[in-house]
Amino acid sequence: MSTDAIVLLKEDHKEIRKLFRAFKATGPDAHATRANLTDKILEALTVHTYVENEVMYPRVSELVPELRAEILESFEEHHVADVLCQELALMSPENERYDAKTFVLIEAVSRHIEEEEDDWFPKVRAALGRKELQDIGAQLLDARARAPHRPEQPGVLRKAADALLG
C-alpha cells in the first residue's frame, strides 16, 4: 500500500463518494438504510477531517506557505462539515430536516473534495517531493489510528469549540 499522502487522501475521497452515492440511491422512506449509511458517512468524514486537520494541513502550511489561504479555507470547510456531522449524529432519520441536512453535507463535502483533487492536490504534489509526501502519508496513517470515529467524541467537539473561540 502506498504511503503517499495524496494517494491516501484520494482513497478516502473515493470511499466517501461511494457512501454518498449509496445514500442518494435510497428512497426517502428507507429510514433504516439511510441511518446505516449516514453512520458510515459520519465515521468516514470524522476520521478524514481529523487526519487532514491534524497532519496534512499543518505540514503543507509549513512546507508550502504560499498555500496558506487555501488551507485556511479548507479548515473552515471542515468546520462546517463537522458541525453538520455533529447535528446529524443527534438526529433521527425520521426528522423532517434529516434528509435535507444530509444532502447539504453531501453537496458541501463533494465540492470540497473536487477543489482538493482538481486544484489543491496538484499544487501540493508539484511543491513537495515524493519522500515528503510519503513521510506525510505515514503521519496520516498514525493519526488515523488515533482519530475519533464519531462526530460527538470529545476531540471533535473540542475542535469545534476552538474554531468558534479561537
Side-chain angles (χ1 to χ4, degrees):
M1 179 171 100
S2 174
T3 60
D4 179 290
I6 293 172
V7 171
L8 293 172
L9 294 175
K10 281 185 169 184
E11 287 172 6
D12 285 356
H13 291 172
K14 184 178 176 182
E15 180 60 28
I16 290 164
R17 284 185 179 120
K18 181 177 154 188
L19 292 167
F20 288 171
R21 282 191 304 275
F23 185 92
K24 288 178 177 181
T26 65
D29 295 324
H31 299 302
T33 301
R34 283 190 166 187
N36 183 313
L37 287 167
T38 301
D39 281 345
K40 291 177 181 178
I41 288 169
L42 297 181
E43 180 174 352
L45 290 176
T46 300
V47 171
H48 181 75
T49 60
Y50 178 87
V51 301
E52 279 192 332
N53 289 350
E54 292 294 314
V55 177
M56 187 69 171
Y57 295 164
R59 292 291 293 137
V60 171
S61 182
E62 174 188 326
L63 296 169
V64 193
E66 60 270 21
L67 295 178
R68 182 80 176 139
E70 290 172 74
I71 292 166
L72 291 173
E73 181 180 334
S74 291
F75 272 122
E76 294 307 318
E77 290 170 346
H78 280 191
H79 173 68
V80 169
D82 288 344
V83 169
L84 290 170
C85 287
Q86 290 166 9
E87 291 174 358
L88 278 167
L90 300 173
M91 292 176 83
S92 163
E94 290 85 14
N95 183 301
E96 71 177 353
R97 296 176 64 190
Y98 186 88
D99 288 347
K101 193 173 295 289
T102 304
F103 283 115
V104 167
L105 174 67
I106 289 170
E107 289 172 17
V109 171
S110 295
R111 186 184 62 76
H112 173 77
I113 287 171
E114 188 176 306
E115 285 177 355
E116 278 190 342
E117 291 188 357
D118 294 347
D119 184 48
W120 199 73
F121 285 172
K123 290 176 183 176
V124 171
R125 185 165 299 288
L128 300 179
R130 195 169 104 184
K131 172 83 170 98
E132 287 172 318
L133 287 170
Q134 288 176 338
D135 290 346
I136 294 169
Q139 293 170 16
L140 288 172
L141 292 173
D142 288 342
R144 184 172 286 148
R146 66 179 183 276
H149 287 254
R150 296 292 308 161
E152 65 272 24
Q153 286 182 281
V156 178
L157 294 174
R158 181 186 51 78
K159 285 249 179 243
D162 288 349
L164 291 172
L165 304 172

